[in-house]
Amino acid sequence: FVLCAISSETLEIRRLVTNGEAGDPSGTPLRGTNPRFVEPGYLVFSAAGDNTLMGARFDPSRLAVLGDPVELVSGVRRESAHGALQLSVSSTGDLVYAPGEDALKSHLVWAQPNGVRDTLPFGQQIYGPYWLTQDASKVAALILSDVGKQELWLLDLERGIPTRWASGGLDEGAVLYYGAWLPDSRSVILTLMRADTSEIVRVDALGASGGSILWKGRGMVTAQSFDEDGRGLFTVYEAGASHPAEVFLADLQFVTQ
């Protein structure tokens, strides 16, 4: 998340930066959500990926942040997917807040048919979509990092070892989207989104690095699941559409062409 200011007169959106001139894209973005201005010249906001209230000196006439932000209060309850903390602050700096946990972060658990739940040996994270292999040995999960970037992690359930996918630049400028495991439990099929185009990438779960592009085109195509013969169920979205336009069944040889 990058903090921005919106003019009430022109509706111009200007990014707030920690160095350089206000609105200068070469500056370092101020990352967070839920900003509040405090007299005579301070900005407080929720940290990105954390339940901490941050503050920085701020010049409202230039929309410029003066110096680096500092931590004000940690351990503020958060339940919003957009990072807003449960607090309120007056224009003069009086603060009221609810202490508590960061509910956006969670643990993965294994649920037994009898209702017993066991916490898996992986850290508390902001988990997005995740997929279990057919042999229940691994989980592929999209996790939001502390800098606001979504990453693919491969979780070995048998050894309790998490490994971050080293993309080798494949995901540069892209958003990671839904995927699925192949039946051999060795490869993940993942969709990378760039503007109005998408790529279907095959990732080797054992090496956890690089990958091969199987398909590239306009709109968005995502793999949902694969059967034992390698045939996959794919969902197709047209460019700019929020609802799927088509669902089809195809094998990887078809997708690669």
Side-chain angles (χ1 to χ4, degrees):
F1 307 106
V2 177
L3 293 183
C4 299
I6 303 176
S7 170
S8 59
E9 297 179 356
T10 65
L11 299 183
E12 177 189 9
I13 299 177
R14 301 182 67 183
R15 188 177 71 172
L16 306 183
V17 299
T18 57
N19 56 49
E21 294 298 323
D24 179 5
S26 66
T28 303
L30 193 62
R31 299 189 180 278
T33 60
N34 199 31
R36 311 285 181 87
F37 177 70
V38 178
E39 298 286 355
Y42 299 96
L43 192 70
V44 298
F45 58 95
S46 306
D50 200 349
N51 59 333
T52 300
L53 181 66
M54 305 293 292
R57 295 176 58 226
F58 181 69
D59 182 352
S61 65
R62 297 190 298 118
L63 298 180
V65 178
L66 311 177
D68 295 330
V70 298
E71 179 180 317
L72 299 179
V73 182
S74 62
V76 182
R77 184 166 181 81
R78 178 172 74 159
E79 296 184 73
S80 169
H82 299 291
L85 304 179
Q86 292 191 4
L87 61 83
S88 182
V89 60
S90 71
S91 61
T92 56
D94 294 317
L95 171 69
V96 58
Y97 69 94
E101 299 296 324
D102 185 356
L104 186 58
K105 293 186 176 181
S106 59
H107 290 281
L108 294 179
V109 300
W110 188 270
Q112 303 288 353
N114 60 5
V116 176
R117 297 182 180 181
D118 297 318
T119 301
L120 296 178
F122 307 109
Q124 194 178 42
Q125 301 285 356
I126 303 178
Y127 287 99
Y130 51 88
W131 321 279
L132 179 68
T133 57
Q134 293 186 15
D135 63 4
S137 64
K138 304 179 188 67
V139 169
L142 297 184
I143 296 176
L144 189 65
S145 70
D146 291 337
V147 297
K149 180 180 179 181
Q150 202 168 44
E151 300 173 337
L152 174 65
W153 282 77
L154 303 167
L155 313 178
D156 189 322
L157 302 184
E158 296 176 342
R159 298 185 298 164
I161 298 177
T163 305
R164 183 176 64 86
W165 175 46
S167 68
L170 277 177
D171 64 343
E172 185 69 27
V175 176
L176 279 60
Y177 216 69
Y178 291 102
W181 285 96
L182 291 183
D184 62 6
S185 301
R186 295 172 55 94
S187 300
V188 177
I189 304 300
L190 184 68
T191 295
L192 306 181
M193 284 295 302
R194 288 185 176 86
D196 60 350
T197 65
S198 63
E199 300 172 359
I200 295 179
V201 176
R202 182 171 184 165
V203 176
D204 178 8
L206 299 182
S209 63
S212 56
I213 299 176
L214 304 181
W215 179 88
K216 180 177 181 180
R218 287 181 58 81
M220 180 172 66
V221 178
T222 63
Q224 304 297 320
S225 62
F226 290 88
D227 63 17
E228 293 294 340
D229 297 325
R231 293 177 301 178
L233 186 65
F234 295 85
T235 302
V236 181
Y237 295 77
E238 295 180 354
S242 58
H243 300 285
E246 182 182 2
V247 176
F248 68 94
L249 187 68
D251 58 29
L252 285 182
Q253 182 178 1
F254 170 80
V255 175
T256 306
Q257 292 177 349

